[in-house]
Amino acid sequence: MQSTIHVTADYQEVDAHAPSSTYYTTGVNAGGVVGRLKTYTGQRFNNSPVPPRKRRASHDDKSKAQKFLIDVQETIQILMEQEDTDGDYQITVNDLGPKSFSVGTADSGGYRKIDIRGTYMLSNLLQELALAKDYGRKHIVLDEARLNENPVDRLSRMIRHNFWQGLTRRIDADGLELITADTKNRSANHNPRIYIPHGEDAVFDYYKHVAETRKHLKLDVQRLPKDITPEFVKSINDRPGILALAMRQDNNTLVGVPFVVPGGRFNEMYGWDSYFETLGLLIDDRVDLAHDMVDNFCYQIKHYGKILNANRSYYLSRSQPPFLTDMALRTYERQAIQDKNWLRQVLQAAIKEYHTVWMASPRLDPKTQLSRFRPDGVGIPPETEASHFDHVIEPYAKALGIPIVDYMQQYNDGQIKEPELDEYFLHDRAVRESGHDTTYRFEKVCANLATVDLNTLLYKYEVDIAHAIRNILDGDLKDYDGNSQRAEDWEERARLRRDRINKYLWNEEKSLYYDYDTVKEEQTTYDSVTAFWTMWAGCASKEQAMKMTVNSLAKFEVLGGLVSGTEESRGVISLDRPNRQWDFPYGWAPHQIMAWRAFENYGMHDVAARLAYRWLYTITKSFVDFNGVVPEKYDVVGLTHKVQVEYGNVGTDFKFVPREGFGWMNASYQIGLTIINTQMRRALGTCTSPDLFFERALKRQNMLNETQLRRRKSSEAAAKKFTRNGSDTAAITRIGAESGIGGSNTPLNFVELTEPLSADQVLDN
């Protein structure tokens, strides 16, 4: 069935690229403007998967942008039947449909048809129909410009207007139902539960009132003790719950201070994720929400003693990499009216965290005076998948002749004492606190390591606090105990830490920083891209920065961005030694963002831009080919988000339209776009391969070696094989000037994503 639809003449024009909340609620798509006239039986092409293609009819006005009249539900049904051949509610390059779908034009009243062709435009059509349905629209007028929009512009717009909103949470009466959901909860008790810090009486009373007045929530409100010990945290693992965050008065009631979650199963406020999300929010002019994120961190330090791994009860003993000072200063810089008192309060919290968490036992190594990820804790981390530790527990359970499940229960209850497991889980908790869970870099050793990551971040704390005291706060800053803080003291702390980093972590021979094992008293040998964080913080000398760039960057720079660690450092992978998600060949948003700023700090903008382009290309290509997906991580060597690794990939499981992306991935895209130039953005819009785009520049710098050339040729060969040398149109997305993608003025025509333009073709146009 197809519908002929009419449009009333009197309506307000709306920007074709307006946010969906505007586009589908105003103008021609406001309720009642589009109506059904009659329904007729359209031709169904049962004998051929591809209907005959029609040219644009002469009836249609070529001088103005094309618009389509569409019956939303009916079109979704037919489109999915025809194009979603693998049944995943998405239209991707993996689907084997005809990749051509006819829709009626507005000028002909929906009678004359035009073909929408290719994976990208068809998936955009599906997404727009799903969004229209969200707003209750049964019939719509849809701009063609919304379907062939430059993918860079489309993704950036979706992040700004859709994804941040989809990831924003509040903990209060209206937000509880959404935030208390926890797919990581493996306990028998799944009733929503919230834990309130000691001394927060008004907050406790508020939630008790919510529980009494909204009985359908079945909310369990619990008060935390003043002293939160590892034993206490373990004791409530069978009763997990959300941890309360900051609230403020609004119209004589308390409301939750909002925050952004990473997405997917990570439905709480995470430590270092929040820093990168905040950077993205600031670029998208969400200064208010960035401010709120900082306030929630201060609340955590005040009431839980640290910035938490995340605000769930089972994370109470763990922190994550500290970024609060830079997060606060960047937010302060963007405030319309810069509030020095607010900044003082934030830095007071940061000073408390610095002294009581990172510069205290058990995290501080007394000999080197460097810090380690070494959290307190008892038992097995409960938030993992049920079988996550089976391979670890199995030999111990076999030795006692009992099932793994029974052994784990008795070990957690303290009935079984096993020092080897105590040591294993000490390091496992440290890995999770590091944010790099998991990696062979930290396997069975993390708690002993003075890592380059952590000590670089603490150096930045010291420099930031000194800078704020001297240059912003007029020398006026006190800690929570009323002790005056002097810039000179914090500068001296920074100098001493830089000297220790150079003494223990810098390797002159290898031109790279390495973690230091405080037990073995030697450097480790794992090449980690976090070595470049020293340049982000500014503690590397100009000479060290140049040596790392010239001698070590090539170890990590691959087609799709920066890889977490080298293949050699990771070691051989087998059934008994599987891939770890923070090792080669995987790339992560925080590593890219930190490196971009690192190279910019040392005047190497060309390097930062090149690395940013590689990463943005990886994101954009997946976005185009896979129905708008924006996942947690990528295989940056194989250029895929379909990773075979622990935990899989978050952000890929959605129907019809992505609504969240993934927190720090969203941020990395918005940040990266501020680093590349106009020419790069144009090439990115046509998905031009990085190695081809930068080929001439890399040759000039002698960075395009035989290994990289072989890698590129292998990638191209794989692409040809996947598409049967280009003959399989179901696996190809075509982008070009005719569709409007890449900018209306570009002379490029039909770029195949599997066979991108050469650098010369892009640069010469």
Side-chain angles (χ1 to χ4, degrees), residues 5 76 226 286 399 525 711:
I5 305 165
I76 289 177
K226 182 177 181 180
R286 295 299 308 273
T525 59
R711 181 192 69 213

Side-chain angles (χ1 to χ4, degrees), residues 78-182:
I78 299 173
L79 181 63
M80 295 302 288
E81 288 176 358
Q82 175 180 301
E83 298 292 344
D84 180 25
T85 60
D86 60 7
D88 65 354
Y89 299 96
Q90 300 174 18
I91 298 175
T92 75
V93 292
N94 290 342
D95 287 307
L96 300 178
K99 296 294 168 76
S100 179
F101 188 83
S102 296
V103 291
T105 65
D107 285 348
S108 68
Y111 179 74
R112 300 187 185 276
K113 307 296 179 184
I114 288 180
D115 287 346
I116 305 298
R117 301 177 186 173
T119 300
Y120 178 64
M121 290 185 68
L122 288 172
S123 68
N124 286 348
L125 174 60
L126 176 63
Q127 293 171 51
E128 293 300 327
L129 294 173
L131 291 170
K133 190 175 180 181
D134 286 348
Y135 291 97
R137 301 283 79 87
K138 295 182 178 179
H139 308 93
I140 59 170
V141 174
L142 181 62
D143 286 89
E144 184 180 30
R146 220 165 163 87
L147 304 182
N148 62 19
E149 184 179 6
N150 184 306
V152 178
D153 297 338
R154 181 176 176 85
L155 176 52
S156 183
R157 175 173 62 80
M158 291 180 72
I159 292 170
R160 176 185 285 263
H161 296 299
N162 295 51
F163 291 178
W164 291 133
Q165 190 62 34
L167 293 171
T168 301
R169 304 284 187 271
R170 272 185 2 203
I171 307 181
D172 56 23
D174 293 331
L176 271 171
E177 197 161 1
L178 182 59
I179 193 63
T180 52
D182 182 14

Side-chain angles (χ1 to χ4, degrees), residues 60-78:
D60 296 308
D61 187 349
K62 308 294 194 302
S63 65
K64 65 179 182 179
Q66 191 62 258
K67 297 176 184 289
F68 306 117
L69 295 182
I70 298 177
D71 181 308
V72 174
Q73 184 57 47
E74 183 179 86
T75 306
I76 289 177
Q77 180 180 345
I78 299 173

Side-chain angles (χ1 to χ4, degrees), residues 352-517:
K352 176 185 177 182
E353 180 201 20
Y354 174 89
H355 286 301
T356 63
V357 178
W358 304 113
M359 294 299 290
S361 178
R363 292 176 177 86
L364 180 67
D365 175 52
K367 183 172 182 179
T368 64
Q369 288 296 297
L370 293 173
S371 299
R372 306 166 295 187
F373 295 111
R374 197 179 177 92
D376 291 319
V378 178
I380 302 172
E383 77 276 11
T384 58
E385 296 167 342
S387 61
H388 185 80
F389 294 110
D390 283 3
H391 69 290
V392 176
I393 301 297
E394 185 178 19
Y396 298 96
K398 278 187 175 180
L400 294 182
I402 62 176
I404 291 174
V405 173
D406 293 347
Y407 188 98
M408 293 174 72
Q409 184 64 51
Q410 292 179 41
Y411 174 75
N412 275 333
D413 292 342
Q415 298 172 24
I416 293 176
K417 305 292 184 182
E418 181 47 69
E420 289 182 354
L421 284 179
D422 295 343
E423 178 79 4
Y424 177 89
F425 288 115
L426 166 67
H427 295 304
D428 182 84
R429 285 188 293 272
V431 171
R432 298 175 191 285
E433 183 169 78
S434 78
H436 291 77
D437 45 326
T438 61
T439 164
Y440 288 115
R441 173 189 174 196
F442 290 155
E443 183 94 341
K444 300 179 182 178
V445 72
C446 187
N448 296 339
L449 300 182
T451 68
V452 63
D453 324 15
L454 177 55
N455 287 283
T456 293
L457 297 178
L458 293 176
Y459 174 86
K460 188 66 162 59
Y461 262 47
E462 293 154 353
V463 170
D464 285 346
I465 294 171
H467 164 73
I469 295 170
R470 187 180 298 281
N471 301 312
I472 301 176
L473 301 178
D474 308 313
D476 180 17
L477 178 64
K478 295 181 173 64
D479 64 17
Y480 280 145
D481 296 325
N483 300 312
S484 294
Q485 303 296 301
R486 300 193 318 151
E488 294 85 352
D489 295 335
W490 286 98
E491 288 165 348
E492 178 64 10
R493 290 186 179 103
R495 185 190 66 79
L496 290 172
R497 188 177 300 275
R498 185 182 62 231
D499 291 346
R500 291 165 185 147
I501 288 173
N502 283 331
K503 178 180 179 180
Y504 294 105
L505 308 185
W506 173 249
N507 189 308
E508 179 69 23
E509 180 183 352
K510 296 183 178 180
S511 299
L512 202 65
Y513 291 90
Y514 290 87
D515 302 327
Y516 182 80
D517 191 319

Side-chain angles (χ1 to χ4, degrees), residues 399-671:
L400 294 182
I402 62 176
I404 291 174
V405 173
D406 293 347
Y407 188 98
M408 293 174 72
Q409 184 64 51
Q410 292 179 41
Y411 174 75
N412 275 333
D413 292 342
Q415 298 172 24
I416 293 176
K417 305 292 184 182
E418 181 47 69
E420 289 182 354
L421 284 179
D422 295 343
E423 178 79 4
Y424 177 89
F425 288 115
L426 166 67
H427 295 304
D428 182 84
R429 285 188 293 272
V431 171
R432 298 175 191 285
E433 183 169 78
S434 78
H436 291 77
D437 45 326
T438 61
T439 164
Y440 288 115
R441 173 189 174 196
F442 290 155
E443 183 94 341
K444 300 179 182 178
V445 72
C446 187
N448 296 339
L449 300 182
T451 68
V452 63
D453 324 15
L454 177 55
N455 287 283
T456 293
L457 297 178
L458 293 176
Y459 174 86
K460 188 66 162 59
Y461 262 47
E462 293 154 353
V463 170
D464 285 346
I465 294 171
H467 164 73
I469 295 170
R470 187 180 298 281
N471 301 312
I472 301 176
L473 301 178
D474 308 313
D476 180 17
L477 178 64
K478 295 181 173 64
D479 64 17
Y480 280 145
D481 296 325
N483 300 312
S484 294
Q485 303 296 301
R486 300 193 318 151
E488 294 85 352
D489 295 335
W490 286 98
E491 288 165 348
E492 178 64 10
R493 290 186 179 103
R495 185 190 66 79
L496 290 172
R497 188 177 300 275
R498 185 182 62 231
D499 291 346
R500 291 165 185 147
I501 288 173
N502 283 331
K503 178 180 179 180
Y504 294 105
L505 308 185
W506 173 249
N507 189 308
E508 179 69 23
E509 180 183 352
K510 296 183 178 180
S511 299
L512 202 65
Y513 291 90
Y514 290 87
D515 302 327
Y516 182 80
D517 191 319
T518 59
V519 174
K520 293 182 178 179
E521 298 189 342
E522 63 184 21
Q523 283 185 357
T524 65
T525 59
Y526 190 105
D527 298 321
S528 171
V529 75
T530 59
F532 293 100
W533 292 19
T534 56
M535 294 168 59
W536 172 86
C539 68
S541 68
K542 290 182 180 179
E543 293 77 14
Q544 288 170 320
M546 185 55 64
K547 287 178 179 178
M548 284 196 290
T549 305
V550 173
N551 300 326
S552 295
L553 176 58
K555 295 180 180 179
F556 305 99
E557 184 176 355
V558 297
L559 180 61
L562 291 170
V563 73
S564 299
T566 62
E567 187 173 12
E568 181 182 5
S569 293
R570 180 203 63 187
V572 177
I573 296 303
S574 66
L575 288 176
D576 296 326
R577 195 176 186 272
N579 267 323
R580 299 284 189 239
Q581 63 177 1
W582 285 92
D583 289 325
F584 182 93
Y586 303 111
W588 292 78
H591 290 168
Q592 319 300 318
I593 296 169
M594 296 288 279
W596 301 339
R597 185 173 169 194
F599 287 105
E600 288 195 311
N601 285 346
Y602 288 77
M604 291 180 268
H605 181 79
D606 57 333
V607 177
R610 185 178 75 236
L611 296 175
Y613 184 92
R614 290 186 182 282
W615 182 249
L616 295 176
Y617 169 76
T618 303
I619 299 174
T620 305
K621 191 173 188 307
S622 287
F623 176 79
V624 167
D625 284 352
F626 290 93
N627 207 108
V629 70
V630 181
E632 175 193 27
K633 57 182 173 286
Y634 290 100
D635 172 347
V636 289
V637 176
L639 289 186
T640 179
H641 67 282
K642 294 181 176 294
V643 298
Q644 299 299 319
V645 71
E646 62 201 324
Y647 307 124
N649 210 349
V650 181
T652 63
D653 186 18
F654 58 86
K655 292 183 177 181
F656 307 127
V657 59
R659 302 179 185 279
E660 300 178 343
F662 193 82
W664 59 24
M665 195 69 75
N666 301 340
S668 73
Y669 202 78
Q670 304 298 69
I671 295 167

